[in-house]
Amino acid sequence: MPKLYNIKNWTRQNLREWMDEKSKSVSKVQAFRADQVFYWLYQQRVESFAKMLNIGSETRKLLTEHFRISSLVKSDSLKSQDGSVKYRLQLEDNQSIEAVFMPHTSHNTVCVSSQVGCGMGCDFCMTGTMGLVRNLTTAEIIDQVLAVWQDLQEEQNLRNIVFMGMGEPFHNYKNLLQALEILTDEHGFNFSQRRITVSTSGLLPKIRRFGKEKIKANLAISLNGVTDEVRSKLMPINNAYNLEKLIGVCREFPLESRRRITFEYILIRDLTDSIADARGLIRLLHGLKFKVNLIPFNSTTAGKYLAPYPEQARKFQKYLLDHGVVAPLRISKGQDIQGACGQLVVSTTA
Ligand code: SAH
Ligand code: SF4
């Protein structure tokens, strides 16, 4: 039997072209059926072709002969006191990744992974300790959203997607872009481009390229240090693309109206949390349209760094607010379940 394609690796355009080709040999198969397949997969979220009721039996047979519909196995889930849920999801090769559901009164968010592990080696990050195991496929990215969706109550919905789980999304550029296409496709999930955020450690060539894409998702950059000395200590990528280059690319990044770049900034006791750092941050980002997400360091097992004193974190925030900077202090969701940023790590089963 020929190998079946995983249909969730295909954009609607790919599927339309394939069906168009098939329509030459199989009667009743037409390209627009791809739109219906997307509706069933991503709006009805069915898991078999048999359930795609308005698609004729001949087309369904053809689909069954060539495609399969994947899903991820939830091998574990942990619910936090704040309502967020961390899922451990098992991939077909037995590797695991994690996705986190974060509830909010007006909007629910899902945080997805883009790789198994991560190769960027940031010194404060648990995922970094795994190294890069492999990139996720488009289907594996999409299936995380579907896996989280399965557990929602009838009246609940997902509105936001953040690529802030395991991995450096821009290291997996092609699959990321395909996933974004499916997520924002009006026949697919139909997520608003404004509701999707991709977070990068600062891969400059990819940031430039991302700015030129048709899909305009939000850009977040993990900044974490305001001098090259501190940032290089925390993030090896700073040795390749230093702050001057990074901010230079940010200045050229084309922003849609009313949008801004998010800078994530981890507050680490006595390393990044002084008022001098706050001043440096403002100086560095001057002239950009931006906001800063302040993230108090989540302790990792390495124990190299410390969380800031809450009082100091508030002072840092106040300094930014007093200078007109939008700077939510993100009290990390899911701290009690190790589901917060930088705490996503799974032992590999290679
Ligand atoms: N790899 C991408 C996206 C995933 S990391 C990136 O680095 O942008 C998501 C966020 O978690 C980053 O902003 C990172 O700075 C933050 N983070 C990582 N480890 C952390 C920790 N121990 N405490 C607090 N935030 C952390
Ligand atoms: Fe990778 Fe992001 Fe962690 Fe750095 S902070 S190691 S880029 S996941």
Side-chain angles (χ1 to χ4, degrees):
M1 227 180 65
K3 200 167 171 287
L4 299 176
Y5 299 116
N6 185 343
I7 199 157
K8 290 175 191 159
N9 282 325
W10 290 45
T11 63
R12 188 163 53 91
Q13 189 56 30
N14 295 152
L15 198 55
R16 282 189 81 109
E17 282 162 17
W18 186 87
M19 289 209 168
D20 208 27
E21 192 55 42
K22 287 291 172 197
S23 68
K24 291 173 191 158
S25 51
V26 187
S27 64
K28 294 191 183 158
V29 172
Q30 290 155 295
F32 81 92
R33 296 284 177 205
D35 302 358
Q36 295 177 331
V37 171
F38 260 52
Y39 162 82
W40 286 108
L41 282 175
Y42 304 123
Q43 292 193 16
Q44 292 301 318
R45 297 180 290 280
V46 301
E47 290 185 347
S48 82
F49 293 114
K51 290 192 181 151
M52 301 186 174
L53 299 177
N54 60 352
I55 296 179
S57 57
E58 223 165 312
T59 309
R60 267 191 270 158
K61 182 166 169 283
L62 185 74
L63 288 167
T64 315
E65 280 166 5
H66 292 87
F67 292 95
R68 64 192 181 90
I69 303 178
S70 61
S71 63
L72 298 176
V73 177
K74 293 190 186 103
S75 47
D76 203 1
S77 72
L78 280 170
K79 194 164 183 175
S80 160
Q81 282 162 5
D82 65 20
S84 58
V85 186
K86 180 172 80 163
Y87 293 95
R88 176 191 288 243
L89 302 167
Q90 198 180 332
L91 309 176
E92 285 169 1
D93 62 356
N94 284 334
Q95 301 285 353
S96 291
I97 49 167
E98 293 182 334
V100 184
F101 169 72
M102 293 174 283
H104 196 277
T105 38
S106 62
H107 58 265
N108 295 313
T109 298
V110 56
C111 171
V112 295
S113 297
S114 55
Q115 298 180 312
V116 182
C118 179
M120 305 309 293
C122 301
D123 204 29
F124 49 79
C125 173
M126 288 286 275
T127 305
T129 61
M130 295 173 66
L132 175 61
V133 180
R134 69 170 173 87
N135 277 334
L136 296 185
T137 63
T138 300
E140 286 166 338
I141 296 173
I142 296 294
D143 273 331
Q144 293 174 66
V145 179
L146 290 168
V148 170
W149 211 310
Q150 261 177 0
D151 286 5
L152 296 185
Q153 310 294 322
E154 191 83 38
E155 70 284 359
Q156 282 180 310
N157 211 336
L158 287 179
R159 200 183 69 169
N160 296 351
I161 300 184
V162 295
F163 283 80
M164 294 184 186
M166 301 168 84
E168 166 52 60
F170 283 167
H171 247 171
N172 189 12
Y173 196 85
K174 184 169 161 279
N175 294 345
L176 168 75
L177 258 285
Q178 287 202 150
L180 291 178
E181 190 172 331
I182 295 169
L183 291 168
T184 56
D185 190 323
E186 56 178 333
H187 293 271
F189 287 95
N190 201 18
F191 277 101
S192 158
Q193 299 186 6
R194 307 181 69 91
R195 302 286 179 208
I196 302 182
T197 300
V198 178
S199 176
T200 176
S201 57
L203 284 175
L204 295 201
K206 294 292 161 45
I207 296 178
R208 273 201 207 96
R209 189 164 153 197
F210 195 58
K212 295 186 190 128
E213 298 290 349
K214 205 166 72 243
I215 293 175
K216 304 289 182 200
N218 297 308
L219 178 67
I221 292 177
S222 294
L223 186 64
N224 302 329
V226 295
T227 62
D228 280 324
E229 191 193 344
V230 172
R231 192 164 190 267
S232 294
K233 176 178 158 75
L234 294 172
M235 307 179 72
I237 192 174
N238 198 66
N239 293 313
Y241 307 115
N242 67 17
L243 279 171
E244 190 187 340
K245 288 183 187 150
L246 175 65
I247 303 304
V249 168
C250 289
R251 290 194 197 286
E252 286 163 16
F253 191 81
L255 283 175
E256 301 275 280
S257 66
R258 288 179 292 131
R259 292 222 221 168
R260 45 191 156 191
I261 297 178
T262 300
F263 290 92
E264 292 158 290
Y265 188 86
I266 305 182
L267 294 165
I268 301 176
R269 191 190 303 176
D270 297 334
L271 185 65
T272 66
D273 68 346
S274 72
I275 294 302
D277 292 323
R279 214 177 290 128
L281 186 69
I282 291 174
R283 208 178 304 126
L284 187 69
L285 303 182
H286 181 76
L288 284 170
K289 279 165 78 182
F290 71 99
K291 73 175 216 179
V292 179
N293 272 348
L294 296 173
I295 314 166
F297 174 70
N298 292 321
S299 59
T300 55
T301 46
K304 235 190 238 175
Y305 301 111
L306 293 171
Y309 291 113
E311 180 57 22
Q312 186 59 26
R314 273 191 294 272
K315 267 194 203 157
F316 192 102
Q317 180 193 30
K318 184 167 184 310
Y319 188 90
L320 295 187
L321 296 178
D322 287 349
H323 287 77
V325 174
V326 179
L329 178 60
R330 222 171 66 187
I331 304 306
S332 257
K333 292 214 173 251
Q335 288 234 9
D336 53 330
I337 54 167
Q338 300 283 301
C341 300
Q343 299 191 340
L344 298 181
V345 68
V346 290
S347 45
T348 56
T349 52

